[in-house]
């Protein structure tokens, strides 16, 4: 089902949670609402679910306005952050509950429940209670309960935030496979950029209740719409260097000797004289001669297949992500070139996403 | 040689300092609670005794045999059981209803909450006097309201048939505030996420009530059913005050506690009163045990059903 949000605004008392959101999720697409805590992504999801009413604007499912359709009538399957499995019911009763609410006969209910349990690999757990299950198992049950009624839309609210890293990857791949198999329109909320990048068709990046960019993960990474997007995606985060951009020439005030005027910079918006140059750590390369930049190594972090270097020159710091084929020492002075440079107009807000914020409700 | 307490002594009273701190509370508890309970239990078995000097000449089951014969005692048990069977479930249902209404973010919530809680903080004697006035046949509020609807006067307080229904209403009303508060606490303990989940699962308001609220409130409902039954079983002061020191017209409001009171203070039959009190204690104990057993049985049945399904 096609979900369309038309100029949605949500105001809670005196805070604006969501501001003039306008986007469409196409049929069968998996879209991720990504953003830092408190950016309004969960509120947006609640409004799609019908648990919250928008203050302004209208939501359409397949062109049908949803303003007067209650959550219980919207035909949506939803997985909540803490699963919200009914503790007084067995796993089977939990899964069959949406069918019971549709007055489906018991035999048929059991049949459907078994089917979906098999798909989610929880057949052995049907007669247990949620309290007797691990986090991963509860998650699977929650997904089964959301999918059993074969809804047209699946919503997931931070579905993996309570799971350990290994399980997270396993489950997210499972969900992606399932979603592609069922071709169900899916919207899911996360603050984890890696999660968003790895499984969504499109990402909607939000900050402070506003859309920053809505595009495929690749496009978002390669052509960030603004400095916030550039800073939010990527780990380690992009290097942002204030500079002057004049007649196609780029200079950094503190580092006169740096000369990295790019042949074809990736421009984001109207870049004036005051600009910010963005260089992804993996776009930096060490060269023996020439080089656009030079900087001293101040810290080394090895991560197995790659190495992160912290570099400094005249109060400018850079992070470089390099191959593991050189012996770098702290204090070395390196010559570097940048394969690709993004240019942003100065004065934009940037987001250095450092992960680990999951306190959103 | 130094005195060495035995291991038993040390185990039981090793932390004698703790006992020292506990002593004031324990002494009061024992003198005013434990001792009277034990004494009144024993007193039921005195057949011949000197009350003033606490000398007992004979023991036996005579008083219990007398109770079995006493028509008044039978009436008291019948009345009390009627009250309990009608008032306790109604009281719980009505309290739950009001609690759910109060919990649904209505306007003036605080005002209503205070109104419901008022009877709980007011003396039952004062309340009974007000009710006696309201229910008065000739100049009571209720009859004058009925009159405006063209309904003729009802002799609430003097018609024996009206006594138990009036007591049922009073009993529901006086416990309402307390039960509503307990239910509200229970309701507020239910995570809103379950309601959100239920809504997306397609459950309407009624389904949400029966499939989420009621099961989640089960411990609260159980607690209240135990305490409410005990409360109703102890009905006394409203009868005493409303019917001016009489157990209602033609003893129609005679409850077990009223019977015990009459035996003790009117007839000075201390041993009979003690025996009746003991019977009341046994009745309440067995009903409470039955309630616990019922819960245990339901759980056992549920587990068996679960195990049975798992074998399939």
């Amino acid at each position: 089902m096609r979900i369309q949000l038309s100029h949605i605004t949500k105001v809670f008392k005196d805070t604006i949670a969501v501001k003039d959101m306008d986007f469409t999720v196409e049929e069968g697409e998996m879209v991720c609402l990504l953003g830092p805590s408190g950016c309004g992504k969960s509120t947006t999801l609640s409004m799609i679910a019908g648990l919250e009413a928008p203050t302004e604007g209208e939501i359409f499912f397949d062109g049908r306005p949803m303003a007067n359709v209650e959550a219980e009538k919207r035909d949506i399957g939803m997985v909540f952050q803490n699963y919200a499995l009914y503790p007084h019911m067995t796993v089977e009763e939990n899964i069959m509950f949406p069918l019971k609410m549709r007055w489906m006969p018991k035999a048929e209910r059991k049949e459907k429940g078994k089917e979906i349990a098999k798909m989610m690999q929880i057949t052995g757990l049907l007669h247990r209670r949620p309290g007797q299950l691990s986090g991963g198992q509860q998650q699977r049950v929650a997904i089964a309960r959301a999918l059993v009624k074969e809804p047209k839309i699946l919503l997931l609210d931070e579905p993996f935030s309570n799971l350990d890293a290994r399980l997270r990857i396993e489950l997210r791949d499972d969900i992606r496979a399932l979603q592609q198999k069922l071709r169900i329109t899916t919207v899911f909320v996360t603050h984890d950029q890696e999660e968003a990048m790895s499984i969504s068709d499109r990402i909607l990046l939000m900050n402070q209740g506003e859309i920053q960019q809505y595009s495929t993960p690749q496009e978002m990474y390669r052509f960030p719409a603004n400095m916030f997007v550039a800073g939010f995606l990527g780990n380690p985060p992009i290097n942002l260097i204030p500079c002057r951009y004049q007649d196609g020439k780029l200079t950094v005030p503190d580092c006169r000797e740096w000369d990295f005027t790019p042949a074809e910079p990736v421009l984001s918006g109207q870049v004036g004289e005051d600009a910010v140059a963005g260089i992804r750590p993996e776009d930096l390369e060490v060269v023996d001669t020439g080089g656009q930049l030079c900087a001293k190594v101040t810290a080394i972090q090895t991560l197995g297949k790659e190495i992160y270097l912290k570099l400094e020159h005249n109060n400018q710091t850079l992070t470089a992500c390099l191959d593991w084929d050189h012996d770098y020492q702290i204090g070395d002075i390196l010559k570097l070139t940048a394969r690709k440079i993004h240019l942003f107009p100065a004065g934009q807000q940037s987001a250095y996403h450092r992960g680990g914020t999951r306190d959103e409700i | 040689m130094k005195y060495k307490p035995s291991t038993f002594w040390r185990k039981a009273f090793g932390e004698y300092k703790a006992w020292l701190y506990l002593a004031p509370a324990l002494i009061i508890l024992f003198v005013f609670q434990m001792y009277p309970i034990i004494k009144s239990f024993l007193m039921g078995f005195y057949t011949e005794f000197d009350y003033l000097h606490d000398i007992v000449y004979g023991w036996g089951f005579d008083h219990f045999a007398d109770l079995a014969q006493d028509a008044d005692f039978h009436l008291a048990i019948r009345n009390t059981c009627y009250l309990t069977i009608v008032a306790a479930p109604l009281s719980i249902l009505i309290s739950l209803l009001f609690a759910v209404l109060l919990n649904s973010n209505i306007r003036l919530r605080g005002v209503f909450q205070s109104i419901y809680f008022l009877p709980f903080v007011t003396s039952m004697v004062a309340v009974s006097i007000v009710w006696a006035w309201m229910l008065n046949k000739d100049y009571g509020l209720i009859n004058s309201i009925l009159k405006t609807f063209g309904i003729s006067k009802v002799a609430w307080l003097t018609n024996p048939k009206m006594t138990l229904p009036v007591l049922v209403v009073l009993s529901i009303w006086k416990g309402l505030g307390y039960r509503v508060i307990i239910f509200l606490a229970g309701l507020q303990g239910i995570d809103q996420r379950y309601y959100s989940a239920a809504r997306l699962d397609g459950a309407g308001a009624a389904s949400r009530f029966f499939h989420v609220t009621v099961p989640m409130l089960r411990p609260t409902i159980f607690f209240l059913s135990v305490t409410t039954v005990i409360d109703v079983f102890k009905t006394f002061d409203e009868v005493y005050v409303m019917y001016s020191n009489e157990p209602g017209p033609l003893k129609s409001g005679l409850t077990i506690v009223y019977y015990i009171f009459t035996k003790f203070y009117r007839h000075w039959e201390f041993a009979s009163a003690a025996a009746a009190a003991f019977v009341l204690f046994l009745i309440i104990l067995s009903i409470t045990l039955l309630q616990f057993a019922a819960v245990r049985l339901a759980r056992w049945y549920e587990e068996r059903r679960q195990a049975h399904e798992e074998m399939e």
Side-chain angles (χ1 to χ4, degrees), chain B residues 113-156:
Chain B
Q113 216 157 315
S114 313
I115 290 173
Y116 292 136
F117 206 59
L118 213 58
F120 184 67
V121 292
T122 315
S123 145
M124 199 55 219
V125 174
V127 162
S128 303
I129 290 171
V130 174
W131 274 88
W133 167 73
M134 288 204 302
L135 291 169
N136 189 287
K137 191 183 166 202
D138 297 315
Y139 45 88
L141 184 67
I142 289 168
N143 273 348
S144 61
I145 289 171
L146 289 180
K147 203 176 148 193
T148 61
F149 291 103
I151 300 167
S152 56
K153 282 178 183 176
V154 180
W156 300 106

Side-chain angles (χ1 to χ4, degrees), chain A residues 11-257:
Chain A
V11 182
F12 289 113
K13 276 188 182 155
D14 40 34
T15 53
I16 300 168
V18 169
K19 208 151 107 196
D20 199 28
M21 288 270 277
D22 200 73
F23 70 96
T24 306
V25 180
E26 297 298 337
E27 164 104 47
E29 210 179 17
M30 183 153 187
V31 166
C32 169
L33 303 182
L34 179 67
S37 290
C39 72
K41 53 193 194 293
S42 282
T43 309
T44 307
L45 198 73
S46 294
M47 286 191 286
I48 297 173
L51 296 170
E52 300 270 9
T55 314
E56 271 170 51
E58 185 96 72
I59 296 171
F60 301 93
F61 288 179
D62 272 348
R64 204 173 127 228
M66 283 290 124
N68 296 315
V69 182
E70 298 270 342
E72 45 267 49
K73 300 255 187 283
R74 288 198 182 186
D75 197 20
I76 288 175
M78 186 161 173
V79 177
F80 291 83
Q81 187 173 4
N82 300 301
Y83 322 129
L85 297 174
Y86 310 118
H88 53 276
M89 297 182 196
T90 63
V91 167
E92 189 179 33
E93 286 166 337
N94 262 285
I95 295 175
M96 293 191 317
F97 186 70
L99 305 179
K100 193 176 183 178
M101 291 301 106
R102 293 183 170 190
W103 306 101
M104 189 184 273
K106 192 164 184 190
E108 211 174 315
R109 239 153 53 199
K110 282 207 156 198
E111 198 57 42
K112 287 250 179 216
K114 286 225 169 76
E115 221 169 87
I116 197 92
K118 207 170 153 194
M119 193 150 80
M120 291 311 300
Q121 299 155 32
I122 46 169
T123 311
L125 311 171
L126 282 178
H127 301 290
R128 297 223 199 135
R129 295 209 177 239
Q132 299 166 298
L133 304 180
S134 71
Q137 290 169 331
Q138 288 187 34
Q139 180 66 277
R140 285 174 182 279
V141 176
I143 295 166
R145 183 179 65 178
L147 289 177
V148 73
K149 60 182 180 185
E150 293 163 13
K152 298 273 160 45
I153 294 170
L154 178 64
L155 304 178
L156 304 123
D157 188 6
E158 302 252 2
F160 314 111
S161 61
N162 294 332
L163 304 173
D164 60 60
R166 204 177 54 80
L167 211 58
R168 230 183 245 218
I169 292 167
E170 188 188 315
L171 260 167
R172 86 179 181 208
D173 292 345
D174 278 8
I175 287 191
R176 179 56 166 168
L178 201 68
Q179 187 267 333
Q180 283 181 328
K181 192 173 130 198
L182 303 173
R183 297 307 305 168
I184 181 173
T185 311
T186 305
V187 180
F188 94 103
V189 157
T190 185
H191 59 261
D192 185 338
Q193 44 140 333
E194 232 170 85
E195 212 167 270
M197 302 275 278
S198 61
I199 62 170
S200 22
D201 291 316
R202 282 202 280 173
I203 296 176
L204 187 137
L205 184 60
M206 293 178 71
N207 187 36
Q208 296 181 337
E210 284 180 281
I211 299 180
Q212 302 296 312
Q213 188 168 352
Y214 184 34
S215 63
T216 61
Q218 294 82 351
E219 199 186 326
M220 191 171 281
Y221 192 77
R222 289 169 58 201
F223 308 106
N226 57 39
M227 224 151 79
F228 178 85
V229 179
F232 197 84
L233 292 183
N235 190 27
I238 193 166
N239 294 297
L240 293 170
I241 307 154
C243 60
R244 294 186 73 78
Y245 186 63
Q246 222 167 358
D247 310 327
K249 213 171 147 48
L250 221 160
T251 46
V252 180
D254 285 347
C255 314
R256 290 278 167 213
E257 57 278 31

Side-chain angles (χ1 to χ4, degrees), chain B residues 66-82:
Chain B
D66 288 346
L67 283 180
Q69 303 289 324
D70 190 347
D72 271 4
F73 191 63
H74 294 173
L75 179 70
I77 287 183
R78 268 205 308 280
N79 285 344
T80 311
C81 287
Y82 174 95

Side-chain angles (χ1 to χ4, degrees), chain B residues 183-260:
Chain B
F183 268 133
L184 268 178
L187 284 172
Q188 266 144 27
I190 301 175
D191 200 319
Q192 282 303 314
R193 285 178 305 120
Y194 295 123
Y195 291 109
S196 300
R199 286 187 67 184
L200 285 158
D201 285 342
S207 295
R208 290 202 292 275
F209 178 74
F210 287 109
H211 293 290
V212 178
T213 309
V214 172
M216 301 281 235
L217 277 183
R218 228 178 263 168
T220 311
I221 293 171
F222 176 65
F223 167 76
L224 280 181
S225 70
V226 170
T227 51
T228 305
V229 164
I230 292 173
D231 259 8
V232 179
F233 250 98
K234 296 195 305 193
T235 304
F236 166 74
D237 24 6
E238 53 266 51
V239 185
Y240 183 78
V241 178
M242 272 210 313
Y243 297 96
S244 16
N245 311 356
E246 286 298 330
L250 298 175
K251 293 185 184 167
S252 53
L254 185 68
T255 63
I256 301 180
V257 178
Y258 206 104
Y259 178 89
I260 295 165

Side-chain angles (χ1 to χ4, degrees), chain B residues 3-15:
Chain B
Y3 169 69
K4 253 186 164 174
S6 72
T7 39
F8 168 78
W9 180 256
R10 214 189 306 186
K11 247 183 206 162
F13 299 98
E15 301 294 333

